[in-house]
Amino acid sequence: MHRQIRALLDAGHKVTYVAPYTYFNVTPAVPVTAIDVPHRAGLARARSALRRGVKDADLLMVHDHELLHALPYRRPPVVWDVREPVSERRLARAGRRHNVIATDAVAGSATVEVVPEATLVSSQPPPPGDTRVVHLGRLTTERGVSELIGLAERLIPHGIRMDLIGAADRDVRPLLRDAQRVGLLDWFGYVPNRHALRMAEGALAGLSLASPSVQGMPTKVLDYMGRGLPVITTPQSAALVERVGCGIAVPLDVEAVRHAVLDLKEDPVRRAELGARGHAEARLRHHWPDHAAAFVSLMQRCAGVPEHALAV
C-alpha cells in the first residue's frame, strides 16, 4: 500500500486493492478502489473478488501463491510478487505462465525479475534512546506475540516499555488487550506506514522475533534500519543484520532477547553505532523512492501498456 501502490498512484495509474480490510480493522490510507474480502477466503470467494477487481484492469498483481489457483478465466497479464522463499520448481512453473517478481533475497531464477526490498528512510533520525523497544508490523503467533508479551513483562522492572505498532490476527488480540490493560505494553493497532515509522524513531531497538516457520527477511528489519534503530532479530532474518553490523541475532527465547535489550541499554555508544550503520546501509541501498520509478516501469512492461495508462 505504502510503496508499490503509492508509486503507481503517483505515476498517474488507477489501482483496485483486494484485501481483508474488515478483518484487520483497516481503512486504506491511499486513494484506491477497495474490495473487502474475508481473511483466508476460500478459492471460490477469492476468485469472485478478483473477477470484480480486474474489470477494465491492465494488470493483476498477486502476493500469495495460493491466489494463482483462484485467477479469473478472463484476466489481464498477471504478476506474482514473491516475498518469501519458494521452490525453484514453483518459480519456474509460475514463470512459464505469469510474470514473477521477487526481492534479491528470494530470487535465483532466470524467470524472476528482481525488485529490491526497500523502505522509507529518514534523512536524519534521532539517536536510539533507552526507555522503550518497538515492534512494527503484523502481530501473529508465528511472529512472536507470546514472546513479545513475555519480554514486555520482564523489561518493565528495568524502566523499558514496549510499543507494538500493527494489526493483529484475531486469535492473539485478546492476549494483547489483556497485556495492555494491565500495563505491560502499548498496542497501537494499525497505523499508516509513514506515521508508524515516525513513531518508531528514538527507540532503544526494533524487534523482529519470528519463529523458524517464517522464512525470509521481514520488511520491518529494513524499517528499523531506515530509522536508525539497532535491530534485535531471530536467526532466520539475521544475514543482513550481521553483514551490516547493525544489530544482534538471538534465539527465539525471551531471556536471550531480554539480555540483548539490557546490554544495549547499558551501552549508548554501541546503540548509536549500530543504528548509524543500519541507517547508512538503508539509505544507500534500500530507500524506496530510489527504486519506485523502476518498479512502475516494470509493471508497465508486464502489462504491455503505454506510460500513465495502467490500471491494476
Side-chain angles (χ1 to χ4, degrees):
M1 184 185 295
H2 302 284
R3 289 183 288 275
Q4 294 181 343
I5 289 178
R6 181 77 265 175
L8 291 166
L9 293 171
D10 288 346
H13 302 307
K14 299 177 181 178
V15 177
T16 297
Y17 192 12
V18 181
Y21 298 102
T22 299
Y23 179 85
F24 286 108
N25 193 29
V26 169
T27 300
V30 292
V32 298
T33 299
I35 296 179
D36 193 21
V37 292
H39 183 53
R40 295 174 181 167
L43 292 182
R45 297 187 76 170
R47 181 176 289 112
S48 175
L50 292 177
R51 188 182 300 119
R52 285 183 287 145
V54 299
K55 289 181 179 179
D56 302 319
D58 303 299
L59 188 72
L60 170 61
M61 175 183 285
V62 298
H63 293 80
D64 184 338
H65 75 272
E66 295 293 338
L67 290 178
L68 296 178
H69 302 294
L71 298 177
Y73 177 72
R74 296 180 182 276
R75 61 178 184 265
V78 175
V79 171
W80 176 27
D81 186 0
V82 184
R83 293 286 140 178
E84 296 181 350
V86 296
S87 69
E88 181 69 23
R89 180 180 179 184
R90 178 174 287 170
L91 285 176
R93 185 185 305 152
R96 287 194 293 268
R97 301 178 58 197
H98 313 298
N99 302 284
V100 180
I101 66 173
T103 64
D104 51 10
V106 176
S109 166
T111 62
V112 173
E113 291 270 6
V114 174
V115 177
E117 191 70 82
T119 185
L120 299 173
V121 180
S122 175
S123 59
Q124 193 172 1
D130 65 357
T131 60
R132 66 187 178 102
V133 292
V134 66
H135 178 280
L136 292 176
R138 184 178 161 200
L139 293 156
T140 69
T141 299
E142 295 78 15
R143 287 169 170 81
V145 163
S146 296
E147 288 78 11
L148 288 167
I149 294 173
L151 176 64
E153 183 175 14
R154 298 186 196 192
L155 290 177
I156 284 179
H158 302 279
I160 301 172
R161 296 282 300 176
M162 179 179 292
D163 289 348
L164 303 180
I165 306 169
D169 277 6
R170 281 180 179 166
D171 60 331
V172 301
R173 291 176 195 171
L175 297 175
L176 293 168
R177 292 192 188 106
D178 289 346
Q180 181 161 258
R181 188 177 301 116
V182 298
L184 294 184
L185 50 79
D186 290 309
W187 174 39
F188 295 91
Y190 169 78
V191 176
N193 186 251
R194 290 178 182 271
H195 301 306
L197 294 177
R198 285 197 293 271
M199 290 170 64
E201 291 183 352
L204 187 156
L207 305 174
S208 178
L209 306 182
S211 70
S213 64
V214 179
Q215 300 182 14
M217 185 189 68
T219 303
K220 65 173 65 69
V221 171
L222 289 178
D223 290 338
Y224 301 146
M225 292 168 60
R227 298 292 148 161
L229 302 183
V231 180
I232 298 178
T233 184
T234 43
Q236 63 268 31
S237 57
L240 175 64
V241 171
E242 292 179 335
R243 177 177 65 79
V244 176
C246 62
I248 303 170
V250 296
L252 185 58
D253 174 80
V254 173
E255 272 301 293
V257 181
R258 184 181 75 91
H259 283 299
V261 171
L262 295 181
D263 286 347
L264 289 177
K265 179 178 175 63
E266 298 303 319
D267 194 341
V269 173
R270 186 184 182 206
R271 284 202 311 270
E273 289 176 347
L274 296 178
R277 288 182 199 139
H279 181 260
E281 175 71 10
R283 188 62 186 86
L284 179 65
R285 304 182 190 280
H286 301 285
H287 188 37
W288 172 251
D290 295 341
H291 305 287
F295 166 76
V296 172
S297 295
L298 175 59
M299 294 303 97
Q300 290 168 176
R301 292 201 306 273
C302 290
V305 301
E307 187 175 358
H308 301 307
L310 186 63
V312 181

